[in-house]
Amino acid sequence: MTGASTGIGKATAIRLAREPATELVLVARREGLLRELAESLPCRATFVAVDLTAEDAPRCLREHLEAEHGGELQLLVNNAGAAWRAGFLEGGYANVNRHMELNFDAVVRLTEELLPLLRASSPSAIVNVASTAGRVSRARTGAYSASKFALIGWSDSLYAEERPEGVHVGLVLPGFVATEGFPAAELREKALTRWIVSKPEKVAEAIYECGPGGRAERYVPRPYALAAIARILLPSLTRRVLTGGAASDLTTTTGSE
Ligand SMILES: NC(=O)c1ccc[n+]([C@@H]2O[C@H](COP(=O)([O-])OP(=O)(O)OC[C@H]3O[C@@H](n4cnc5c(N)ncnc54)[C@H](OP(=O)(O)O)[C@@H]3O)[C@@H](O)[C@H]2O)c1
């Protein structure tokens, strides 16, 4: 479980810990938060404090799984991620690269390292936490959207390749969910928009459904799927809505800024 120190990852660890005979490996950079969570869970939980963009992070996690959990891996949840809002001219390639390194490359590198363990432990599953922003782009979120679009495209292909090997690949596409990294403060402070912001616990349930539950994908909240459908069927209208007067409210400030 990557990105387990806060938000969706922490809620998912708590959700998974309710299942019988679960053992968890919690991964993020902040060791204190991981230790605190591991000690509070009702199942066996170990942790690895690591920056997932570091060269040796995947190897380090595989070695931990082999040494502490006998190399068993039934579920990999690629959830760690972040967003740094910037227009393209302002953020440039550097901002695109920063998003790709964490939200895409780190996921691909970790999956490559752990896929042999997942195959050996099959039936098993991978859940990649993308975003509704991986279907629909807004101003100042281009770099984030690019990383999540890439993650979705790659995940669908990986599903097709790994299905015969007994490794399911599911996708979860959250919309606005109030967390440390994505506080959605602008939306939560107005009565008119507060209702569109969801909770990490709802995403945790979707992650369970798309992993052990074998579902293909889930938007959270579910009606966010309409944005993706509109993007395909009504591209001109979608562009007009996303560049209209109220559209700037939908590009919320993130915790990384
Ligand atoms: N909340 C939303 O509105 C929303 C919407 C769509 C998609 N998502 C996606 O959901 C996922 C979880 O986000 P969240 O909302 O739960 O945000 P969050 O509370 O900020 O959680 C992000 C997690 O990723 C970890 N992380 C960040 N950079 C890392 C790195 N370099 N190496 C290792 N771990 C790292 C963080 O822990 P440390 O800081 O301790 O490393 C934290 O545990 C992300 O992929 C995000 O893109 C969120």
Side-chain angles (χ1 to χ4, degrees), residues 2-10 27-31 33-34 48-54 78-85 102-103 106 129-133 144 147-148 151 172-184 197-198 200 203 207 220 252 255-256:
T2 74
S5 60
T6 56
I8 292 168
K10 180 177 178 180
V27 181
R29 290 166 302 181
R30 284 171 289 177
E31 187 172 348
L33 293 178
L34 295 177
V48 182
V50 68
D51 183 335
L52 286 163
T53 64
N78 286 309
N79 163 74
W84 298 268
R85 307 296 191 214
L102 177 61
N103 298 345
V129 179
S131 172
T132 307
Y144 179 69
S147 66
K148 297 294 190 178
L151 182 61
V172 172
L173 299 89
F176 294 108
V177 179
T179 60
E180 180 188 285
F182 300 80
V197 182
S198 190
V203 188
I207 289 173
V220 187
T252 51
S256 309

Side-chain angles (χ1 to χ4, degrees), residues 121-132:
S121 310
S122 74
S124 56
I126 299 169
V127 179
N128 290 332
V129 179
S131 172
T132 307

Side-chain angles (χ1 to χ4, degrees), residues 20-159:
T22 298
E23 288 191 22
L24 292 174
V25 181
L26 311 173
V27 181
R29 290 166 302 181
R30 284 171 289 177
E31 187 172 348
L33 293 178
L34 295 177
R35 176 175 291 112
E36 204 178 295
L37 177 60
E39 286 171 359
S40 73
L41 291 172
C43 67
R44 177 164 184 255
T46 61
F47 59 87
V48 182
V50 68
D51 183 335
L52 286 163
T53 64
E55 184 69 33
D56 62 348
R59 182 184 48 80
C60 169
L61 282 167
R62 182 181 43 78
E63 287 174 0
H64 175 89
L65 276 159
E66 286 167 348
E68 297 290 330
H69 300 268
E72 277 278 307
L73 183 59
Q74 257 95 36
L75 176 65
L76 167 63
V77 182
N78 286 309
N79 163 74
W84 298 268
R85 307 296 191 214
F88 181 58
L89 205 54
E90 180 196 337
Y93 172 68
N95 197 39
V96 175
N97 191 40
R98 172 155 72 162
H99 282 84
M100 291 304 287
E101 275 182 351
L102 177 61
N103 298 345
F104 183 67
D105 297 354
V107 175
V108 172
R109 291 172 53 242
L110 183 59
T111 305
E112 179 180 30
E113 187 78 35
L114 300 185
L115 201 47
L117 301 189
L118 285 155
R119 279 189 178 191
S121 310
S122 74
S124 56
I126 299 169
V127 179
N128 290 332
V129 179
S131 172
T132 307
R135 300 282 195 204
V136 181
S137 250
R138 295 151 289 153
R140 307 187 70 248
T141 68
Y144 179 69
S145 274
S147 66
K148 297 294 190 178
F149 269 73
L151 182 61
I152 290 171
W154 177 73
S155 300
D156 283 346
S157 170
L158 189 65
Y159 167 77

